[in-house]
Amino acid sequence: MGTFFADLRYALRNLRTNAGFTAVAVAALALGIGATAAIFTVVNGVMLAPLPYSQPDRLVRLGRKYPGGNGYSNSIPKFMVWRQNDVFDSMTLYEQGGLSMNLGAGENPPQVKASHVSKDYFRVFGAAPLFGRASTEAEDLPHGAEVAVLSYRLWQSHMGGDRQVTGHTILLNQEPYTVVGVMPKGFESNPPIDVWIPLQADPNSTNQGHYLAAAARLKPDVPVEQARAAMKVLGERFRAANPKWMDPAESVAVVPMKEAMVEDVRLALLILLGAVGFVLLISCANVANLLLARAAVRHRELAIRAAIGAGRGRMIRQLLTESVLLAAIGGVLGFALGAWGVRALLLVAPGNIPRLTDADGLHQALPLLDWRVAGFVLGISALTVILFGLFPALSISNPDLASTLKEGGRTGGGTLHKRARSFLVIAEVALSLILLTGAALLIR
């Protein structure tokens, strides 16, 4: 432990003495780590973080399956056939994006997001009202009572958090609705909705328009594959009864909810993650080249240390300590830069990326520090140590004592040393060309 602290003090003194080198190396690492952390934060928030529902792995989306992909808009008649199954615990039909409605009367009433949903909507998404109830089966039939369930956010902002709000009437687009329940604070649909009202779909409807979303909750002992097989049978049943309303190549899609939500953006996010990975590699190669260039003036120092008995392992450990210190400083600054970068990304991100939009349709800040992001930043910081620290350390830790001491430290490090630096320059140029070519193809 004493040797480690001695190495650490020596590394700090060296980095402080060479402030210009330290600043350039740390800046290169911080940019690479920061860009990677920012993109990974978005990838984590959109693709990796679990959905904020009870048992999200049992949630699936239903739609139309084609050889070229899936469509998630559905008609009422198809849903009425689909719900005759024994694989789902509950199913719901709902407006996917919701609609803007005026709340209350007056000259400039506030706008709220409302969504028409069938009676089992909250059961599918594993939530129950904080108080009150959801709509009943009778209220969800045509000409049923006009009732509304409020979000916690709307209840707090416009109802003053009054628990006596149930039974009261609110106006939505000048139409009266009776409040029957309020959802808990943690429940958020995607996109966020302020008030849910019954869909009141006609079970005997012949309207084949595809304008509604459908979701279901699997029974505890039913895998997705079994549900797909069952829904394929029901799809064929619908085709037999309505041949002109189902394409010959169409089937029923049963897709895990999270997978369906990110289906359209997964490739773009993975390409961005790969691109910033190249940026990180370029940063590492840059710092490795800086270390090799700096090593050209340290050969005499290392030769003297070797002459007085320092082993190669001892010198490699000393050089790696400097690299670890650089990576640690670069990682901390990169993490801070990544936090700023996430907010910048949210300002320019398109509005169709799921799980990034708040109730006002604006981009909300993602939580930067969770175990995935923290682990990722630690991992890439450790990776940078290996990538830019080990190669120069191995290259310069075995100096030729006779020639180095004789030349008085004016050596450039020998043929191998120069080849290493040339290789790193070539690698940087190659990676940069890959990035530029990929960017040009994506723009085209």
Side-chain angles (χ1 to χ4, degrees):
M1 187 60 70
T3 305
F4 168 75
F5 284 116
D7 287 343
L8 189 60
R9 285 192 299 271
Y10 183 76
L12 282 169
R13 186 165 63 251
N14 262 345
L15 295 180
R16 189 167 57 247
T17 303
N18 299 275
F21 159 81
T22 304
V24 173
V26 167
L29 285 174
L31 285 172
I33 292 174
T36 309
I39 295 296
F40 182 77
T41 300
V42 175
V43 171
N44 174 57
V46 174
M47 294 175 54
L48 302 180
L51 296 177
Y53 307 120
S54 172
Q55 297 179 303
D57 56 312
R58 290 174 54 199
L59 271 176
V60 297
R61 237 176 129 179
L62 306 176
R64 294 166 292 143
K65 181 179 180 181
Y66 297 98
N70 300 322
Y72 293 108
S73 56
N74 305 278
S75 69
I76 294 174
K78 283 181 179 177
F79 181 80
M80 295 304 168
V81 172
W82 291 351
R83 66 180 185 175
Q84 301 167 29
N85 67 81
D86 57 0
V87 292
F88 296 129
D89 178 70
S90 50
M91 297 178 66
T92 185
L93 198 62
Y94 58 99
E95 288 175 331
Q96 185 170 344
L99 65 156
S100 294
M101 301 183 78
N102 295 326
L103 176 64
E107 190 171 327
N108 294 301
Q111 295 278 306
V112 296
K113 276 285 188 183
S115 180
H116 291 88
V117 301
S118 64
K119 69 179 183 67
D120 282 335
Y121 178 86
F122 298 112
R123 184 179 171 189
V124 167
F125 287 95
L130 178 66
F131 60 89
R133 60 173 177 83
S135 61
T136 63
E137 185 172 0
E139 291 165 344
D140 194 35
L141 291 173
H143 312 297
E146 301 290 1
V147 299
V149 177
L150 308 181
S151 69
Y152 184 91
R153 178 179 52 257
L154 182 66
W155 174 58
Q156 287 288 323
S157 61
H158 289 79
M159 310 298 166
D162 181 10
R163 294 185 73 92
Q164 305 303 316
V165 70
T166 52
H168 289 199
T169 299
I170 60 172
L171 293 179
L172 294 172
N173 284 354
Q174 303 299 320
E175 297 291 332
Y177 288 81
T178 302
V179 177
V180 295
V182 173
M183 294 306 294
K185 184 176 182 179
F187 180 77
E188 282 289 358
S189 57
N190 183 64
I193 296 296
D194 298 305
V195 56
W196 295 270
I197 51 185
L199 180 63
Q200 297 182 341
D202 184 355
N204 301 310
S205 172
T206 57
N207 181 0
Q208 295 289 350
H210 294 85
Y211 61 95
L212 295 168
R217 178 169 286 271
L218 292 165
K219 289 183 177 180
D221 56 343
V222 175
V224 174
E225 291 75 15
Q226 182 179 339
R228 285 173 178 153
M231 296 307 292
K232 184 176 181 180
V233 172
L234 290 176
E236 294 304 318
R237 182 184 301 173
F238 181 88
R239 192 198 312 278
N242 306 273
K244 69 176 183 177
W245 293 115
M246 193 164 179
D247 190 276
E250 180 184 342
S251 184
V252 182
V254 180
V255 183
M257 179 64 73
K258 186 166 72 171
E259 181 181 328
M261 287 173 64
V262 303
E263 200 170 72
D264 293 335
V265 299
R266 179 190 290 109
L267 181 59
L269 290 176
L270 291 177
I271 288 174
L272 278 175
L273 189 60
V276 295
F278 276 112
V279 172
L280 180 60
L281 286 175
I282 292 171
S283 298
C284 292
N286 217 333
V287 174
N289 219 340
L290 286 171
L291 286 170
L292 283 171
R294 182 165 172 255
V297 298
R298 295 187 68 184
H299 269 308
R300 182 172 176 80
E301 171 202 337
L302 295 174
I304 292 173
R305 295 182 67 182
I308 61 177
R312 190 181 186 192
R314 179 73 176 83
M315 287 191 287
I316 289 175
R317 188 174 63 187
Q318 173 62 65
L319 294 169
L320 282 180
T321 301
E322 293 183 23
S323 299
V324 169
L325 195 56
L326 279 175
I329 299 172
V332 171
L333 292 179
F335 195 82
L337 189 62
W340 175 85
V342 168
R343 285 150 182 79
L345 282 172
L346 292 174
L347 291 175
V348 300
N352 63 341
I353 298 181
R355 308 182 72 185
L356 293 186
T357 308
D358 62 17
D360 300 316
L362 303 174
H363 295 297
Q364 60 187 8
L366 294 169
L368 180 65
L369 184 59
D370 70 1
W371 67 269
R372 289 185 185 86
V373 177
F376 182 76
V377 173
L378 287 173
I380 59 176
S381 296
L383 180 63
T384 55
V385 172
I386 298 171
L387 289 176
F388 76 74
L390 190 58
F391 182 44
L394 291 173
S395 175
I396 67 175
S397 60
N398 190 26
D400 184 343
L401 297 184
S403 61
T404 302
L405 293 175
K406 182 178 179 180
E407 292 176 11
R410 293 187 298 273
T411 179
T415 304
L416 182 61
H417 190 98
K418 293 174 181 176
R419 285 179 179 173
R421 293 180 60 187
S422 299
F423 169 78
L424 289 172
V425 171
I426 292 169
E428 287 183 64
V429 173
L431 290 171
S432 299
L433 283 175
I434 290 172
L435 278 179
L436 288 172
T437 304
L441 290 173
L442 286 173
I443 291 170
R444 181 176 179 180

